[in-house]
Amino acid sequence: MKWNIVADSSCDLVKSDIACDLLDFTTVPFTIRVGEKEYEDSENLDTLHLLDAMEGCAQLGSTACPPPHTWVEEFKKAENTISVSISDNLSGSYNSAVSARQLVLAEEPHRNISVLNSISTGPAIAILIRHIAEMIKSEAAFETVSAEAEKLSLGIKTVFALTCFDNLVKNGRMSKLTGFIAKKLGMWGIGIGSPEGRIEIKGKARGASGAIGVILEDLQQRGFSGKEMIISHCHNAEFVQRLRERITERWQNADITVLKTRGLDSFYAERGGVIISFL
């Protein structure tokens, strides 16, 4: 295989999502620890089981990024490799991939390996990968694909909406009483991805309708044109359908793809959480 696109499992994509004879697409998994049990964030991970375990455990869970050797294995499979990782301000995955690149090129300097920092997660990475695949199909040169993908990453914007606050309570960022009241009142927390790839809290809303209103306002403020959007959700298809209808009312030709969160994004977004990335 001449081309390989490699992402960590924060991308919310599976192998069949990027099907093409010209390239291979693979993901390297995060590891998620809940209590005494570890879960590998493979394509077959049962995220409902993961969420049940998280909600039934009083301890704060943790995640571990893919170690360098998992990236090394993928980097050796093709002449040209483009890798995409979650923001380096959210995880060590990017640095792990950088280390892997150095190890491979020290032994096989003829390979072309580009390591991209998505500056985001989930659907933003999915947008990047879709565009990388299209450039490869158009027979663009490796240097062009790498440079254009890095440029594109700077233009993708992300907004997320959370309806569950268990992780915030467990790690001490929200009191148990506040978390209990927020859940009872149907409160949503709304945040955005910063240009540096961090999560910034934008505000709060009461109920699904209020959350949708805040999201639409953010899309308007940050210049969504209806060009392209991917929504990842953690078992909240009903909310996504309502959101999608409201978006297409305002941007009638909006190109919207819906994905289910894989393990890592399910761990952080929690049950009902939604992540939206757009150009």
Side-chain angles (χ1 to χ4, degrees):
M1 183 64 65
K2 188 175 180 180
W3 285 88
N4 192 14
I5 302 174
V6 189
D8 59 42
S9 58
S10 72
C11 67
D12 291 336
L13 292 171
V14 296
K15 191 176 184 69
S16 60
D17 289 324
I18 308 294
C20 176
D21 293 337
L22 296 176
L23 60 92
D24 195 13
F25 169 63
T26 52
T27 57
V28 291
F30 276 80
T31 300
I32 302 166
R33 187 174 184 85
V34 179
E36 297 301 317
K37 187 168 183 178
E38 286 191 349
Y39 299 83
E40 183 181 86
D41 190 9
S42 69
E43 293 188 7
N44 299 319
L45 176 64
D46 184 340
T47 54
L48 280 175
H49 179 73
L50 172 67
L51 292 167
D52 288 342
M54 289 166 52
E55 292 161 3
C57 182
Q59 300 172 329
L60 177 66
S62 61
T63 63
C65 69
H69 73 84
T70 60
W71 293 99
V72 166
E73 292 173 6
E74 297 302 327
F75 290 174
K76 289 185 174 183
K77 289 183 177 179
E79 178 183 339
N80 300 313
T81 299
I82 305 287
S83 75
V84 190
S85 71
I86 189 173
S87 169
D88 65 346
N89 278 312
L90 299 176
S91 166
S93 185
Y94 171 74
N95 290 328
S96 181
V98 169
S99 296
R101 178 181 183 274
Q102 293 170 344
L103 290 170
V104 173
L105 292 182
E107 296 180 358
E108 305 176 42
H110 64 280
R111 294 189 184 276
N112 294 318
I113 304 171
S114 178
V115 179
L116 299 178
N117 175 10
S118 73
I119 326 176
S120 191
T121 188
I125 300 178
I127 290 175
L128 267 177
I129 290 171
R130 290 206 313 192
H131 281 265
I132 290 169
E134 289 303 314
M135 285 189 281
I136 292 172
K137 292 175 187 177
S138 71
E139 300 184 353
F142 174 83
E143 292 78 11
T144 300
V145 175
S146 180
E148 290 299 315
E150 187 167 359
K151 187 187 303 182
L152 179 66
S153 70
L154 301 176
I156 301 173
K157 302 176 180 66
T158 298
V159 56
F160 62 90
L162 304 181
T163 184
C164 186
F165 310 98
D166 289 348
N167 274 341
L168 293 176
V169 172
K170 289 174 184 177
N171 67 21
R173 295 183 179 179
M174 179 182 287
S175 72
K176 290 182 179 180
L177 178 60
T178 301
F180 175 79
I181 293 173
K183 184 177 290 188
K184 286 296 183 182
L185 292 177
M187 299 301 294
W188 287 69
I190 312 296
I192 62 172
S194 75
E196 299 78 27
R198 295 184 174 90
I199 295 172
E200 296 180 350
I201 301 301
K202 185 177 180 69
K204 58 185 178 180
R206 185 168 183 175
S209 296
I212 289 172
V214 175
I215 292 169
L216 292 174
E217 181 182 355
D218 179 73
L219 296 180
Q220 186 75 50
Q221 288 178 349
R222 293 202 285 164
F224 177 58
S225 63
K227 181 179 179 182
E228 185 173 3
M229 173 183 289
I230 296 182
I231 304 173
S232 292
H233 70 94
C234 186
H235 300 282
N236 203 348
E238 180 181 353
F239 176 85
V240 172
Q241 181 60 30
R242 292 178 60 184
L243 174 61
R244 188 172 189 166
E245 290 173 356
R246 292 291 304 280
I247 291 171
T248 53
E249 285 175 6
R250 188 173 300 186
W251 295 277
Q252 296 181 1
N253 297 318
D255 177 10
I256 303 175
T257 300
V258 177
L259 302 173
K260 294 180 180 179
T261 53
R262 287 181 56 172
L264 186 81
D265 284 335
S266 295
F267 178 86
Y268 286 108
E270 300 189 71
R271 195 184 301 270
V274 176
I275 310 170
I276 304 113
S277 293
F278 59 95
L279 285 171

mmCIF file of all heavy atoms in Angstrom, residues 216 242-254 256:
data_model
loop_
_atom_site.group_PDB
_atom_site.id
_atom_site.type_symbol
_atom_site.label_atom_id
_atom_site.label_comp_id
_atom_site.label_asym_id
_atom_site.label_seq_id
_atom_site.Cartn_x
_atom_site.Cartn_y
_atom_site.Cartn_z
ATOM 1 N N LEU A 216 -26.450 27.287 18.078
ATOM 2 C CA LEU A 216 -26.735 28.039 16.860
ATOM 3 C C LEU A 216 -26.114 29.434 16.912
ATOM 4 O O LEU A 216 -25.584 29.940 15.915
ATOM 5 C CB LEU A 216 -28.241 28.153 16.655
ATOM 6 C CG LEU A 216 -28.989 26.856 16.316
ATOM 7 C CD1 LEU A 216 -30.489 27.104 16.280
ATOM 8 C CD2 LEU A 216 -28.517 26.293 14.983
ATOM 9 N N ARG A 242 -32.797 16.935 16.374
ATOM 10 C CA ARG A 242 -33.379 18.264 16.594
ATOM 11 C C ARG A 242 -32.394 19.357 16.201
ATOM 12 O O ARG A 242 -32.769 20.347 15.554
ATOM 13 C CB ARG A 242 -33.788 18.426 18.057
ATOM 14 C CG ARG A 242 -34.954 17.568 18.496
ATOM 15 C CD ARG A 242 -35.252 17.753 19.966
ATOM 16 N NE ARG A 242 -35.600 19.136 20.295
ATOM 17 C CZ ARG A 242 -35.825 19.568 21.536
ATOM 18 N NH1 ARG A 242 -35.729 18.714 22.563
ATOM 19 N NH2 ARG A 242 -36.139 20.835 21.754
ATOM 20 N N LEU A 243 -31.140 19.177 16.597
ATOM 21 C CA LEU A 243 -30.109 20.154 16.258
ATOM 22 C C LEU A 243 -29.934 20.242 14.740
ATOM 23 O O LEU A 243 -29.845 21.344 14.176
ATOM 24 C CB LEU A 243 -28.787 19.759 16.921
ATOM 25 C CG LEU A 243 -27.558 20.597 16.569
ATOM 26 C CD1 LEU A 243 -27.751 22.044 16.981
ATOM 27 C CD2 LEU A 243 -26.307 20.004 17.221
ATOM 28 N N ARG A 244 -29.893 19.103 14.102
ATOM 29 C CA ARG A 244 -29.711 19.073 12.648
ATOM 30 C C ARG A 244 -30.854 19.807 11.938
ATOM 31 O O ARG A 244 -30.619 20.552 10.973
ATOM 32 C CB ARG A 244 -29.628 17.622 12.183
ATOM 33 C CG ARG A 244 -29.254 17.445 10.731
ATOM 34 C CD ARG A 244 -29.001 15.979 10.428
ATOM 35 N NE ARG A 244 -28.433 15.802 9.107
ATOM 36 C CZ ARG A 244 -27.878 14.687 8.685
ATOM 37 N NH1 ARG A 244 -27.808 13.635 9.488
ATOM 38 N NH2 ARG A 244 -27.393 14.599 7.462
ATOM 39 N N GLU A 245 -32.059 19.594 12.394
ATOM 40 C CA GLU A 245 -33.209 20.272 11.782
ATOM 41 C C GLU A 245 -33.112 21.779 11.929
ATOM 42 O O GLU A 245 -33.400 22.526 10.990
ATOM 43 C CB GLU A 245 -34.502 19.749 12.415
ATOM 44 C CG GLU A 245 -34.835 18.312 12.029
ATOM 45 C CD GLU A 245 -36.016 17.758 12.798
ATOM 46 O OE1 GLU A 245 -36.540 18.483 13.694
ATOM 47 O OE2 GLU A 245 -36.412 16.607 12.541
ATOM 48 N N ARG A 246 -32.678 22.228 13.113
ATOM 49 C CA ARG A 246 -32.555 23.672 13.332
ATOM 50 C C ARG A 246 -31.429 24.260 12.491
ATOM 51 O O ARG A 246 -31.544 25.389 11.986
ATOM 52 C CB ARG A 246 -32.301 23.950 14.822
ATOM 53 C CG ARG A 246 -33.483 23.637 15.732
ATOM 54 C CD ARG A 246 -34.633 24.626 15.504
ATOM 55 N NE ARG A 246 -34.211 26.005 15.672
ATOM 56 C CZ ARG A 246 -34.067 26.607 16.869
ATOM 57 N NH1 ARG A 246 -34.343 25.934 17.991
ATOM 58 N NH2 ARG A 246 -33.681 27.859 16.946
ATOM 59 N N ILE A 247 -30.339 23.524 12.344
ATOM 60 C CA ILE A 247 -29.224 24.016 11.527
ATOM 61 C C ILE A 247 -29.644 24.155 10.067
ATOM 62 O O ILE A 247 -29.377 25.165 9.410
ATOM 63 C CB ILE A 247 -28.001 23.083 11.657
ATOM 64 C CG1 ILE A 247 -27.403 23.178 13.069
ATOM 65 C CG2 ILE A 247 -26.931 23.441 10.611
ATOM 66 C CD1 ILE A 247 -26.329 22.153 13.357
ATOM 67 N N THR A 248 -30.328 23.127 9.544
ATOM 68 C CA THR A 248 -30.714 23.165 8.131
ATOM 69 C C THR A 248 -31.848 24.153 7.859
ATOM 70 O O THR A 248 -32.063 24.543 6.713
ATOM 71 C CB THR A 248 -31.111 21.759 7.641
ATOM 72 O OG1 THR A 248 -32.108 21.203 8.507
ATOM 73 C CG2 THR A 248 -29.909 20.843 7.608
ATOM 74 N N GLU A 249 -32.566 24.569 8.893
ATOM 75 C CA GLU A 249 -33.529 25.645 8.713
ATOM 76 C C GLU A 249 -32.815 26.952 8.382
ATOM 77 O O GLU A 249 -33.292 27.753 7.569
ATOM 78 C CB GLU A 249 -34.363 25.833 9.991
ATOM 79 C CG GLU A 249 -35.419 24.775 10.220
ATOM 80 C CD GLU A 249 -36.113 24.958 11.557
ATOM 81 O OE1 GLU A 249 -35.835 25.985 12.238
ATOM 82 O OE2 GLU A 249 -36.910 24.095 11.945
ATOM 83 N N ARG A 250 -31.667 27.149 9.023
ATOM 84 C CA ARG A 250 -30.923 28.403 8.840
ATOM 85 C C ARG A 250 -29.922 28.310 7.693
ATOM 86 O O ARG A 250 -29.714 29.274 6.958
ATOM 87 C CB ARG A 250 -30.211 28.774 10.143
ATOM 88 C CG ARG A 250 -29.569 30.148 10.114
ATOM 89 C CD ARG A 250 -29.028 30.546 11.472
ATOM 90 N NE ARG A 250 -30.058 30.590 12.506
ATOM 91 C CZ ARG A 250 -29.848 31.020 13.750
ATOM 92 N NH1 ARG A 250 -28.640 31.464 14.102
ATOM 93 N NH2 ARG A 250 -30.816 31.014 14.638
ATOM 94 N N TRP A 251 -29.266 27.156 7.570
ATOM 95 C CA TRP A 251 -28.295 26.927 6.494
ATOM 96 C C TRP A 251 -28.813 25.739 5.679
ATOM 97 O O TRP A 251 -28.459 24.587 5.957
ATOM 98 C CB TRP A 251 -26.921 26.634 7.073
ATOM 99 C CG TRP A 251 -26.314 27.790 7.818
ATOM 100 C CD1 TRP A 251 -25.628 28.839 7.289
ATOM 101 C CD2 TRP A 251 -26.316 27.991 9.255
ATOM 102 N NE1 TRP A 251 -25.203 29.689 8.289
ATOM 103 C CE2 TRP A 251 -25.600 29.197 9.509
ATOM 104 C CE3 TRP A 251 -26.825 27.281 10.340
ATOM 105 C CZ2 TRP A 251 -25.421 29.691 10.794
ATOM 106 C CZ3 TRP A 251 -26.641 27.778 11.619
ATOM 107 C CH2 TRP A 251 -25.937 28.965 11.836
ATOM 108 N N GLN A 252 -29.618 26.016 4.691
ATOM 109 C CA GLN A 252 -30.378 24.968 4.010
ATOM 110 C C GLN A 252 -29.512 23.948 3.293
ATOM 111 O O GLN A 252 -29.914 22.794 3.125
ATOM 112 C CB GLN A 252 -31.366 25.612 3.021
ATOM 113 C CG GLN A 252 -32.421 26.453 3.701
ATOM 114 C CD GLN A 252 -33.405 27.064 2.716
ATOM 115 O OE1 GLN A 252 -33.317 26.836 1.507
ATOM 116 N NE2 GLN A 252 -34.350 27.840 3.226
ATOM 117 N N ASN A 253 -28.354 24.351 2.842
ATOM 118 C CA ASN A 253 -27.482 23.438 2.100
ATOM 119 C C ASN A 253 -26.355 22.876 2.956
ATOM 120 O O ASN A 253 -25.348 22.398 2.423
ATOM 121 C CB ASN A 253 -26.907 24.154 0.872
ATOM 122 C CG ASN A 253 -27.992 24.561 -0.102
ATOM 123 O OD1 ASN A 253 -28.912 23.798 -0.362
ATOM 124 N ND2 ASN A 253 -27.874 25.770 -0.644
ATOM 125 N N ALA A 254 -26.510 22.929 4.266
ATOM 126 C CA ALA A 254 -25.458 22.449 5.169
ATOM 127 C C ALA A 254 -25.150 20.977 4.916
ATOM 128 O O ALA A 254 -26.051 20.148 4.810
ATOM 129 C CB ALA A 254 -25.877 22.656 6.619
ATOM 130 N N ILE A 256 -23.948 17.913 6.545
ATOM 131 C CA ILE A 256 -23.817 17.428 7.930
ATOM 132 C C ILE A 256 -23.685 15.906 7.953
ATOM 133 O O ILE A 256 -24.499 15.191 7.366
ATOM 134 C CB ILE A 256 -25.027 17.842 8.783
ATOM 135 C CG1 ILE A 256 -25.198 19.361 8.773
ATOM 136 C CG2 ILE A 256 -24.878 17.328 10.210
ATOM 137 C CD1 ILE A 256 -26.451 19.841 9.487
#
